[in-house]
Amino acid sequence: MKYISIILIGWIVQSSAEEIVTRGWLMNVLSAKYNVWVGLIVSSTYFGFMHLLNPNVSYIAVINLVLTGFLFGFYVLKTNNLWGACGIHCSWNFFMGNIFGFEVSGTNTSVGTLFDLNLVGNPSLSGGQFGPEGGICETIVIIVAIIVIIYLDKKKFFKQCA
């Protein structure tokens, strides 16, 4: 159990650092200097490109990471909650790597895994050795999540929560 706690702390630091740099700093600086869309697009692209040197990276993986950056950035803009994005990012990494045993952005996280699931089938769909983030199934999930945030925003959901 103590190893899981150490691993979780590592994910908290790693994911929060990425979110603070991309959404907390870069997106805000660019949004203030230019406009929100420039901040959102550039910070999302930077987030995706930060993973270019990860093992087993593919075009689909980079596109998905840019879309994930857009999703997290859009979440932060609509909720005004950077820490929520940090928590979602950390939860994703922890569950993918240490609960399900998948690679996280191409990195094998087999230490402290609850299950040891393997992605099978076409790597373009499943993500293959990069993990779920490298597959078209993930692309669909991210796009659906973005659509849900747009829908909730149109229904004024985030204003009710503030």
Side-chain angles (χ1 to χ4, degrees):
M1 186 61 164
K2 69 179 178 179
Y3 296 114
I4 290 292
S5 299
I6 293 169
I7 291 167
L8 182 57
I9 290 168
W11 284 126
I12 291 168
V13 170
Q14 176 272 331
S15 57
S16 295
E18 286 184 4
E19 292 304 314
I20 290 166
V21 168
T22 55
R23 256 65 69 192
W25 176 73
L26 183 61
M27 184 174 75
N28 283 318
V29 167
L30 293 174
S31 294
K33 184 169 176 120
Y34 301 104
N35 65 52
V36 171
W37 288 106
V38 169
L40 183 59
I41 292 168
V42 172
S43 66
S44 300
T45 303
Y46 177 73
F47 178 76
F49 286 4
M50 284 175 24
H51 298 84
L52 280 175
L53 299 178
N54 287 24
N56 304 304
V57 70
S58 66
Y59 293 112
I60 296 171
V62 174
I63 290 167
N64 283 346
L65 289 164
V66 170
L67 285 171
T68 300
F70 187 87
L71 171 66
F72 289 166
F74 204 51
Y75 171 86
V76 169
L77 290 171
K78 294 302 171 187
T79 63
N80 200 29
N81 186 348
L82 178 63
W83 300 116
C86 293
I88 295 166
H89 189 158
C90 174
S91 298
W92 173 264
N93 289 349
F94 180 72
F95 274 84
M96 286 298 104
N98 300 105
I99 302 297
F100 300 122
F102 297 134
E103 281 77 14
V104 178
S105 299
T107 304
N108 185 326
T109 58
S110 59
V111 176
T113 300
L114 185 60
F115 300 105
D116 191 15
L117 303 176
N118 294 307
L119 296 171
V120 294
N122 185 334
S124 295
L125 294 174
S126 70
Q129 294 299 314
F130 193 78
E133 298 160 315
I136 293 171
C137 291
E138 171 80 6
T139 310
I140 295 166
V141 169
I142 297 167
I143 290 170
V144 167
I146 291 169
I147 291 168
V148 167
I149 290 177
I150 291 168
Y151 174 79
L152 291 174
D153 186 48
K154 286 186 186 290
K155 294 290 185 181
K156 308 282 189 236
F157 176 80
F158 301 114
K159 292 187 184 6
Q160 295 170 9
C161 294

